Amino acid sequence: MIAPAQGGLRVTAVDSLAAGEGIVPGLPIADARALLPYLAVREADPCADAEALARLAGWCGRYSPLVALDGADGLLLDITGCAHLFGGEDILLADLTRRLTGFGLTLRAALADTPAAAWAWAHAGPGGVLPVGVARQALAPLPVAALRLPDGMAAALGRLGLRRIGDLMDLPRAPLTARFGDAVARRLDLVLGRASEPIAPLHQPAPFRRQLAFAEPIGTRGDIDRALEHLLDGLLVDLDQAGQGLRRCEFSVFTVDGGVQRIGIGTARPSRERRHVLRLFAERLEEIDPGFGIEVMTLEAPVAEILPAQQAALEGGPATGEAELARLVDRLQQRLGRHAVVRLEPVDSHIPERAVTLVPALAPPSHRPWMVEQPRPLRLLPSPELIEVTAMVPDDPPLTFRWRTVLHRVAQTEGPERLSPEWWRDRPGTRLRDYYWVEDLEGRRYWLYREGAYGEPRAPRWYMHGLF
Amino acid sequence: MRVSATNLFKLRHHLGALAIGGAALFERLVLSDPVLDASLPWGGLPRGSIHQLEGVPGDTSVLSFAAGLTSRCAGPDGRALWLRLRRDRQETGEPYGPGLARYSLPPDRLMLVEARAIPDLLWALEEGLRCTGFSVALAEGISPDLTASRRLQLAAEASGVTALLVSPGPVRTRSVALTRWRVTAAPSARGVHRPRWQVELLHCRGGKPGSWIMEWDDAALGFAVVPALASRALAQAV
């Protein structure tokens, strides 16, 4: 792999064969070609690499919810409390290595007490599980570069003869800090677990989470349904004990071929109703493509809210109007989209299109009535439509108008109602509007307006805005 | 034997209910005008069933009539569900709050639903009809076939929610709707702000078709039939 760098193209990554011939990252391409004329060269694509790494991070969610990216080519998993699910740390690491190798990836994996020690063990050591309590002895022979020191510092230490981590461990700290700042001492602390290092997980772990791993991959819809029900039962028990109800719920399936598929549902009110949640998921379970089989499933409730324990109504029994309404809203939103189920709410503005806003269907009511001084149309066109108008005198109400190619003869009109722009909100130059209520000969009623006035440099224009 | 009008009414009512297979008698909705209510065999519009309204192309008056009917169905504290197709947004405009005020539909009692396709709309309507939290569900832009309308009717009967199905043009499919109306604009005689509708009852199970000119009565929040003679005389006078 090559990429443009200082002084031309340089090698950024090599495979094991090229490495065996002495090609190392950082080498200019010309030198590499001189060493190995038949070297196969590809251009590096860091964006695609990053995407692939992020996908891989998603896949690693099967082992632990806490997965963080580490540099451009590393992943960090916090498996605290997860190892026993796989039969122990050794087995977990072996499983991870086997699967990733199966995907055709080359990797070095290590497991240790601290993220820094695991990094050192993976990059400079032999990898594998670093047993508890022996980190000090095991890490001592590793080169100081394994501490991930800032650029040049490893070389500077090397000039002093400090080449191994063990050399640093026994030194008094004061002179070390005086010479190199606190970076060296701090990195050493992190590796040895004397200081803690937080990791920044890609996905914040959900407060409620259940996981199910299958001995044999599953694939049929019936199996998926049953597994989901099982997960949900567990999740609902957790929620119930915490006195919480879920607002969002995410179902993830990990397939054999390394893919992750997620479907999510949302509820308008905190819920612990099994039947309701299953029904919401049922709408979307068809989207899941099990491929060659599903190995692991997780069900998470990333957003939960307080829902006090209550005497649950018998399932399928008569429900109260409000609860029933909330369930209906959830179902409608699940299928039609979040913004498809709304209600109107008045806004203080005299500009017609600003007098209304849409709010979620179950938003608490403000109990404000519509402010209506003059009659308003029942329907408002989202964008006013230009019409051709004839009038006796320019300032008069229209006699005829042509809208959507149909000529309307006006029988009676009322108006104008003059609406000035809101100077605190509209751009300068916004023109005032004169609204007319117009009825044509057939009795169809319209709300038209003239934008601007005669005598201005720009001629006024007429628009259709509402229908009664 | 002398058959009293009440008995006859009860019998009709009963037969009407049996005709569509429902065991319960319909609760009826009074449209507030005695002339109109008396011409319907139920003495008003039956709740818990579906009714079709059709307009004519280029005339959206049927939507304002439907809004009035929705308001009657919802009453002072019922909830209404209003379903539309997304593609009709620009064509017929969006329901406008301040305009709904006239028909006494306050913002917190009206839920708006927008669907992208007709199957979604029908599904949402059926879901809404099963929910007893609503008094009435209004769906714009559909005229379901026999099977779909039967499903809707069953859902409406079970919950008691009234369904109003509005079609922008003439309805060509058969359905099990109890009534079918055609609404067009009628010239108003008392100023632009007193809208009138030409309302034809095209089909009415167990009743006779009819035709009226109606106005919205802002005080009673109901429909008022304009006597044919008066409307003509007034129209000429203006």
Side-chain angles (χ1 to χ4, degrees):
Chain A
M1 290 287 183
I2 53 159
Q6 199 181 2
L9 295 174
R10 281 173 191 269
V11 175
T12 58
V14 292
D15 64 4
S16 52
L17 280 176
E21 299 289 340
I23 311 249
V24 291
L27 205 64
I29 182 69
D31 297 2
R33 282 248 162 82
L35 274 171
L36 208 61
Y38 49 88
L39 183 69
V41 172
R42 297 277 178 283
E43 250 179 74
D45 185 352
C47 291
D49 287 349
E51 271 172 35
L53 192 66
R55 268 202 306 280
L56 200 61
W59 179 84
C60 286
R62 55 178 287 147
Y63 293 105
S64 162
L66 283 168
V67 181
L69 295 179
D70 182 75
D73 59 352
L75 289 176
L76 216 50
L77 275 70
D78 184 348
I79 58 151
T80 311
C82 299
H84 72 276
L85 297 171
F86 297 88
E89 293 178 348
D90 300 323
I91 300 174
L92 189 153
L93 196 67
D95 184 69
L96 178 85
T97 313
R98 182 174 59 77
R99 284 175 196 279
L100 289 180
T101 312
F103 295 156
L105 299 171
T106 314
L107 77 152
R108 302 171 73 97
L111 199 154
D113 297 347
T114 67
W119 194 92
W121 201 233
H123 285 77
V129 179
L130 187 62
V132 180
V134 299
R136 208 180 155 83
Q137 296 93 298
L139 294 172
L142 300 186
V144 287
L147 289 177
R148 304 184 85 177
L149 296 170
D151 285 344
M153 201 174 280
L157 286 167
R159 282 196 292 279
L160 298 176
L162 300 166
R163 292 199 171 78
R164 312 246 153 237
I165 294 179
D167 300 339
L168 293 170
M169 283 179 188
D170 306 322
L171 287 180
R173 303 195 58 157
L176 202 60
T177 306
R179 175 111 192 217
F180 295 101
D182 66 350
V184 173
R186 185 168 157 66
R187 293 302 311 177
L188 206 54
D189 285 347
L190 292 177
V191 165
L192 297 177
R194 289 194 293 235
S196 67
E197 181 180 26
I199 75 169
L202 281 180
H203 298 285
Q204 211 54 41
F208 300 95
R209 183 177 196 272
R210 283 274 171 156
Q211 179 163 351
L212 202 56
F214 306 103
E216 285 291 321
I218 64 162
T220 66
R221 174 68 195 267
D223 289 343
I224 297 174
D225 282 350
R226 267 196 299 283
L228 175 62
E229 282 171 34
H230 179 79
L231 283 170
L232 183 62
D233 286 339
L235 198 71
L236 291 180
V237 169
D238 298 347
L239 284 163
D240 191 43
Q241 279 169 359
Q244 305 238 323
L246 59 87
R247 283 293 308 278
R248 278 212 1 248
C249 194
E250 246 175 41
F251 180 49
S252 314
V253 302
F254 298 80
T255 50
V256 181
D257 52 2
V260 187
Q261 295 168 41
R262 296 177 206 276
I263 53 176
I265 58 133
T267 61
R269 296 189 180 172
S271 172
R272 277 201 303 267
E273 287 166 278
R274 181 177 188 270
R275 217 170 74 144
H276 179 51
V277 176
L278 283 177
R279 209 168 152 183
L280 293 177
F281 270 121
E283 287 276 325
R284 298 202 38 205
L285 277 182
E286 278 128 38
E287 291 170 26
I288 288 187
D289 170 23
F292 295 108
I294 296 167
E295 286 180 308
V296 176
M297 287 180 178
T298 63
L299 190 68
E300 299 182 327
V303 184
E305 281 175 13
I306 291 174
L307 178 69
Q310 53 198 357
Q311 180 68 51
L314 290 175
E315 287 215 352
T320 58
E322 288 294 303
E324 208 188 329
L325 212 58
R327 284 201 293 270
L328 174 74
V329 169
D330 290 343
R331 283 203 299 280
L332 294 178
Q333 284 186 335
Q334 188 63 31
R335 174 144 168 189
L336 306 176
R338 287 178 64 79
H339 302 289
V341 188
V342 293
R343 65 178 183 79
L344 303 168
E345 187 68 41
V347 174
D348 285 327
S349 172
H350 64 263
I351 301 294
E353 59 269 30
R354 287 188 193 140
V356 175
T357 181
L358 297 174
V359 296
L362 292 180
S366 63
H367 296 297
R368 284 196 303 170
W370 297 110
M371 297 299 291
V372 186
E373 281 154 22
Q374 300 264 27
R376 288 286 179 256
L378 186 70
R379 318 284 288 197
L380 202 69
L381 298 179
S383 43
E385 293 177 17
L386 203 60
I387 52 173
E388 290 167 35
V389 166
T390 55
M392 277 276 246
V393 192
D395 259 340
D396 261 14
L399 282 179
T400 65
F401 65 91
R402 190 180 285 279
W403 175 50
R404 293 180 182 169
T405 73
V406 179
L407 186 71
H408 297 261
R409 289 179 194 288
V410 174
Q412 47 181 333
T413 60
E414 204 163 302
E417 183 191 1
R418 177 159 290 193
L419 297 180
S420 310
E422 291 177 326
W423 53 262
W424 58 94
R425 208 189 275 170
D426 285 312
R427 277 178 296 137
T430 305
R431 307 170 88 187
L432 56 80
R433 301 175 184 176
D434 281 329
Y435 277 90
Y436 288 91
W437 294 265
V438 170
E439 183 177 308
D440 70 5
L441 284 180
E442 279 96 292
R444 295 176 285 197
R445 280 158 309 108
Y446 302 99
W447 206 38
L448 317 177
Y449 71 86
R450 184 180 57 220
E451 190 189 58
Y454 286 97
E456 289 180 5
R458 274 189 297 162
R461 285 192 292 191
W462 286 85
Y463 289 94
M464 169 69 66
H465 202 185
L467 311 168
F468 285 88
Chain B
M1 197 184 86
R2 203 174 135 264
V3 182
S4 75
T6 358
N7 279 344
L8 201 59
F9 165 70
K10 276 185 184 162
L11 191 63
R12 264 191 193 161
H13 206 134
H14 214 90
L15 286 174
L18 290 176
I20 61 152
L25 294 180
F26 290 114
E27 195 193 334
R28 76 201 154 99
L29 164 80
V30 176
L31 298 174
S32 100
D33 187 276
V35 177
L36 184 59
D37 289 327
S39 29
L40 291 166
W42 307 272
L45 204 64
R47 291 177 185 270
S49 53
I50 61 176
H51 302 278
Q52 279 188 298
L53 303 158
E54 62 174 58
V56 291
D59 186 350
T60 53
S61 317
V62 65
L63 292 172
S64 54
F65 185 78
L69 216 48
T70 305
S71 160
R72 288 300 299 171
C73 289
D77 43 35
R79 276 175 186 274
L81 179 66
W82 194 319
L83 307 117
R84 293 164 300 139
L85 280 173
R86 194 183 164 84
R87 60 162 192 245
D88 290 342
R89 251 191 202 179
Q90 184 65 31
E91 185 64 26
T92 57
E94 293 178 33
Y96 185 53
L100 293 166
R102 165 161 213 187
Y103 298 98
S104 169
L105 289 168
D108 48 338
R109 290 201 285 114
L110 180 68
M111 192 188 284
L112 298 174
V113 172
E114 202 175 62
R116 283 177 189 275
I118 288 184
D120 283 340
L121 187 74
L122 284 169
W123 170 83
L125 177 60
E126 193 183 328
E127 290 282 317
L129 286 179
R130 290 185 195 286
C131 176
T132 52
F134 292 106
S135 305
V136 54
L138 167 67
E140 281 176 31
I142 52 165
S143 47
D145 61 10
L146 206 57
T147 316
S149 68
R150 204 168 273 145
R151 279 191 73 95
L152 297 174
Q153 174 66 33
L154 288 174
E157 262 174 56
S159 63
V161 181
T162 312
L164 305 173
L165 313 181
V166 182
S167 155
V171 174
R172 297 189 206 287
T173 50
R174 284 181 60 215
S175 79
V176 299
L178 287 191
T179 62
R180 183 150 62 86
W181 308 73
R182 178 186 293 152
V183 184
T184 49
S188 56
R190 291 195 282 163
V192 180
H193 299 321
R194 295 302 300 267
R196 282 183 173 178
W197 301 284
Q198 172 76 46
V199 180
E200 287 170 74
L201 181 55
L202 299 174
H203 166 81
C204 173
R205 182 158 305 177
K208 273 188 279 182
S211 176
W212 304 270
I213 289 187
M214 291 194 210
E215 262 185 2
W216 182 250
D217 183 345
D218 288 314
L221 292 173
F223 295 99
V225 170
V226 181
L229 204 64
S231 77
R232 208 171 302 144
L234 264 173
Q236 278 165 2
V238 169

